[in-house]
């Protein structure tokens, strides 16, 4: 079997271009989902994620997982999936093996190292980028961090930026 050079990001981008208003997931259209992944990717860049970096995801099946997954891929980084119900020792052993630069994890998931937390209210992005590549993202929510709590909140925030 031969595979072309088409990536998941290419397929997603083509789908957004062809069907921008169609429902994608969780009440978001493809266009809104693309905007949400662009926002997440921009946050990841401020946290120092570069092409080839490994980013661990420990999220349940949700639109937040899809947003994080696509954002990591858009940057050319590598997604390292984890079960958010793993214990701290299970996750520590896996993190020792893959050495992810950053984790995006559901609240309460005991991932080691730099982490961006996600909960029912959305992503808790740090308010400022780390000072250096060795600095860690915070696991504590920032009061100024953007939230993608609901599709309506996201649309409202997106309209205000324009």
């Amino acid at each position: 079997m031969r595979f072309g050079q088409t990536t998941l990001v290419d397929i997603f981008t083509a789908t957004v271009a062809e069907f921008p208003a169609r429902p994608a997931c969780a009440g978001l259209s493809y266009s809104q989902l693309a905007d949400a992944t662009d926002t997440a990717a921009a946050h990841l860049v401020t946290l120092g994620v570069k092409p080839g970096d490994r980013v661990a995801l420990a999220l349940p099946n949700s639109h937040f997982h899809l947003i994080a997954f696509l954002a990591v891929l858009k940057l050319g980084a590598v997604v390292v999936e984890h079960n958010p119900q793993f214990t701290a020792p299970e996750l520590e052993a896996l993190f020792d093996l893959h050495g992810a630069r950053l984790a995006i994890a559901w609240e309460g998931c005991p991932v080691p190292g730099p982490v961006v937390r996600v909960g029912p209210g959305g992503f808790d992005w740090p308010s400022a980028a780390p000072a250096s590549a060795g600095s860690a993202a915070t696991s504590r929510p920032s009061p100024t961090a953007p939230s993608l709590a609901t599709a309506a909140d996201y649309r409202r925030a997106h309209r205000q930026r324009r």
Side-chain angles (χ1 to χ4, degrees):
M1 178 180 268
R2 292 183 49 94
F3 294 96
Q5 297 298 314
T6 303
T7 66
L8 287 174
V9 173
D10 294 335
I11 294 167
F12 177 68
T13 302
T15 302
V16 171
E18 189 171 350
F19 307 109
R22 283 199 186 166
C25 70
L28 296 172
S29 69
Y30 277 102
S31 178
Q32 292 164 331
L33 181 59
D35 289 344
T37 61
D38 288 343
T39 299
H43 279 288
L44 292 173
V45 167
T46 66
L47 293 171
V49 176
K50 301 179 297 296
D53 285 346
R54 289 175 296 284
V55 177
L57 300 185
L59 299 168
N61 295 336
S62 70
H63 63 292
F64 298 122
H65 186 276
L66 182 58
I67 291 165
F69 182 85
L70 290 168
V72 171
L73 293 182
K74 281 184 175 187
L75 297 179
V78 178
V79 173
V80 184
E81 292 282 4
H82 294 288
N83 184 334
Q85 295 180 335
F86 278 177
T87 64
E90 289 171 318
L91 288 166
E92 287 170 14
L94 293 169
F95 274 68
D96 285 344
L97 290 172
H98 62 63
R101 172 182 196 79
L102 176 74
I104 303 173
W106 195 250
E107 59 187 18
C109 181
V111 296
V115 61
V116 171
R117 292 289 174 192
V118 181
F123 293 88
D124 290 324
W125 298 109
S127 59
S132 69
S135 297
T138 180
S139 62
R140 298 190 183 276
S142 164
T144 59
S147 173
L148 300 176
T150 66
D153 290 340
Y154 179 77
R155 286 191 297 273
R156 188 171 33 260
H158 183 68
R159 273 191 228 108
Q160 290 171 353
R161 287 191 311 233
R162 288 184 179 175

